[in-house]
């Protein structure tokens, strides 16, 4: 009992003191966990932390040189020097309604960079994949990629991201074999809109989502959880450049308003085990996501084209490690 309490204390201490997580295992059984697979990387207490909370931060996981390289490629995309097939470029709703702003300041997020190798390098980073394997196993698909450029908020609060669950978007299961890796590309604080998580909510179920009724609008596909315990404690994940948080797709999370004058950058990838199975989202979750995706396909391919969500996600996914299996 004393050993177990000591292990838990070590994990919490390292989270608060911004140190690298331990790699030496604590004593204890390694087969009583639902959300991680048996591995030699996480300590027993670190697995307990993720089991209870649904997230874990690894300090300094991605090196500065790699992050600076990703930043450079992002800037080249924004300036138009590089054209990336199938890339989705997004602008904040407040910027979209204002006068045209050129270059990097006009772009708040790029998605689906999996076919652009200089950025997909992040998804195949061995330091990241060795942790992803603890959640997904050895056959891993990169299913959703983003580089987020959260803009300074113009006073509309549209730079915030409503509290949500990522599983709302994904037509594959089981949820426990899906994980997000989210890396700070610079110092991330409450002032510039760090991630906010509701620890332990991954023990619940997928809740109903819809667009929040915000006075100044909300960005496309920024759904929010409609019903959750608003009295539940929230944790603000302030992070240094290169720090990476891994979190469960049912964990309720979001991000705050960027109250600084600079852009806040982060890069992320959602991973799933290659043997995940696909579900009928319209039956199990509702028609909203399918309708949004139909609109997305019409804009990119043309009117009259209808595909199901499974086909879209299989196309978006790219193998990061091992075999493709059910994503063919």
């Amino acid at each position: 009992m004393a050993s177990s309490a000591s292990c838990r204390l070590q994990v919490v201490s390292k989270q608060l003191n911004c140190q690298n997580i331990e790699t030496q295992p604590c004593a204890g059984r390694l087969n009583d966990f639902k959300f991680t697979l048996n591995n030699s990387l996480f300590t027993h207490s670190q697995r307990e932390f993720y089991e209870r909370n649904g997230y874990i931060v690894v300090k300094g996981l991605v090196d500065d040189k790699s992050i600076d390289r990703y930043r450079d490629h992002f800037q080249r995309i924004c300036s138009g020097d590089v054209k990336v097939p199938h890339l989705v470029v997004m602008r904040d709703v407040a910027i979209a309604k204002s006068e045209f702003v050129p270059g990097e300041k006009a772009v708040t997020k790029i998605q689906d960079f999996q076919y652009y190798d200089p950025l997909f390098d992040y998804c195949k980073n061995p330091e990241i994949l060795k942790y992803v394997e603890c959640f997904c196993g050895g056959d891993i698909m990169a299913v959703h990629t983003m580089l987020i450029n959260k803009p300074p908020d113009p006073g509309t609060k549209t730079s915030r991201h409503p509290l949500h669950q990522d599983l709302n978007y994904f037509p594959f299961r089981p949820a426990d074999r899906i994980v997000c890796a989210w890396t700070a590309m610079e110092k991330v604080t409450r002032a510039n809109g760090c991630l906010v998580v509701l620890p332990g909510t991954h023990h619940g179920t997928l809740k109903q989502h819809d667009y929040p009724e915000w006075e100044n609008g909300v960005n496309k596909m920024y759904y929010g959880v409609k019903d959750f315990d608003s009295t539940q404690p929230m944790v603000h994940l302030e992070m240094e450049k290169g720090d990476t948080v891994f979190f469960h797709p049912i964990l309720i999370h979001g991000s705050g308003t960027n109250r600084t004058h600079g852009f806040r950058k982060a890069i992320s990838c959602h991973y799933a085990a290659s043997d995940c199975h696909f579900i009928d989202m319209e039956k199990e979750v509702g028609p909203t996501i399918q309708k949004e995706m139909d609109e997305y396909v019409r804009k990119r391919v043309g009117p009259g084209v209808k595909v199901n969500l499974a086909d879209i996600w299989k196309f978006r996914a790219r193998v990061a490690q091992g075999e493709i299996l059910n994503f063919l």
Side-chain angles (χ1 to χ4, degrees), residues 110-172:
I110 59 173
Q111 294 188 151
D112 299 339
F113 58 70
Q114 63 273 16
Y115 295 111
Y116 183 54
D117 287 342
L119 288 180
F120 191 68
D121 175 80
Y122 169 80
C123 305
K124 296 191 72 173
N125 185 314
E127 294 301 309
I128 293 176
L129 286 177
K130 69 182 183 182
Y131 284 96
V132 174
E133 193 167 343
C134 300
F135 305 100
C136 300
D139 296 311
I140 302 168
M141 300 299 296
V143 294
H144 187 225
T145 54
M146 295 188 297
L147 196 156
I148 304 144
N149 189 42
K150 182 187 280 284
D153 197 274
T156 59
K157 297 183 179 181
T158 53
S159 67
R160 58 186 164 162
H161 197 302
L163 292 171
H164 65 284
Q165 298 165 300
D166 290 339
L167 194 67
N168 182 60
Y169 300 93
F170 300 148
F172 38 84

Side-chain angles (χ1 to χ4, degrees), residues 63-109:
D63 63 276
D64 286 358
K65 186 177 180 180
S66 294
I67 290 175
D68 292 343
R69 190 168 63 250
Y70 304 147
R71 180 189 295 268
D72 178 65
H73 282 285
F74 173 71
Q75 291 169 342
R76 292 175 65 190
I77 290 170
C78 293
S79 66
D81 292 342
V82 176
K83 303 295 183 183
V84 181
H86 314 299
L87 186 76
V88 177
V89 178
M90 301 179 68
R91 300 174 70 197
D92 186 275
V93 64
I95 297 175
K97 292 177 180 178
S98 66
E99 294 182 6
F100 175 73
V101 180
E104 182 180 349
K105 291 183 178 180
V107 178
T108 57
K109 182 192 293 186

Side-chain angles (χ1 to χ4, degrees), residues 114-115 141-144 312-319 327:
Q114 63 273 16
Y115 295 111
M141 300 299 296
V143 294
H144 187 225
I312 292 173
W313 283 100
K314 287 178 181 180
F315 174 77
R316 297 173 86 176
R318 182 177 175 184
V319 65
F327 281 79

Side-chain angles (χ1 to χ4, degrees), residues 54-67:
Y55 74 94
I56 191 164
V57 177
V58 182
K59 310 302 293 183
L61 185 62
V62 181
D63 63 276
D64 286 358
K65 186 177 180 180
S66 294
I67 290 175

Side-chain angles (χ1 to χ4, degrees), residues 164-228:
H164 65 284
Q165 298 165 300
D166 290 339
L167 194 67
N168 182 60
Y169 300 93
F170 300 148
F172 38 84
R173 302 291 187 271
D176 297 341
R177 300 285 78 84
I178 304 169
V179 71
C180 179
W182 191 101
T183 299
M185 296 179 66
E186 56 200 296
K187 187 177 179 66
V188 175
T189 66
R190 293 185 69 167
N192 64 13
C194 66
L195 285 180
V196 179
V197 299
L198 276 63
T201 50
H202 66 305
H203 288 282
T205 58
L206 179 60
K207 297 181 177 295
Q208 185 178 358
H209 288 62
D210 205 344
Y211 284 115
E213 296 178 358
W214 289 350
E215 181 180 354
N216 294 296
V218 61
N219 288 305
K220 195 71 171 175
M221 299 291 282
Y222 276 31
Y223 295 111
V225 174
K226 293 196 67 174
D227 179 29
F228 70 98

Side-chain angles (χ1 to χ4, degrees), residues 258-316:
N258 182 358
R259 295 178 280 107
T260 70
H261 297 294
F263 285 72
R264 189 270 281 156
K265 290 180 175 61
I267 188 169
S268 73
C269 180
H270 282 85
Y271 298 91
S274 295
D275 61 357
C276 281
H277 64 274
F278 284 82
I279 64 168
D280 186 330
M281 283 283 280
E282 195 159 354
K283 288 183 179 178
E284 298 195 30
V285 178
T288 303
I289 294 292
Q290 180 69 59
K291 289 179 180 178
E292 293 270 16
M293 284 296 182
D294 287 344
E295 181 181 340
Y296 165 83
V297 171
R298 283 196 301 272
K299 286 182 177 179
R300 297 180 70 87
V301 182
V305 178
K306 182 177 177 62
V307 295
N308 62 43
L309 279 174
D311 291 334
I312 292 173
W313 283 100
K314 287 178 181 180
F315 174 77
R316 297 173 86 176

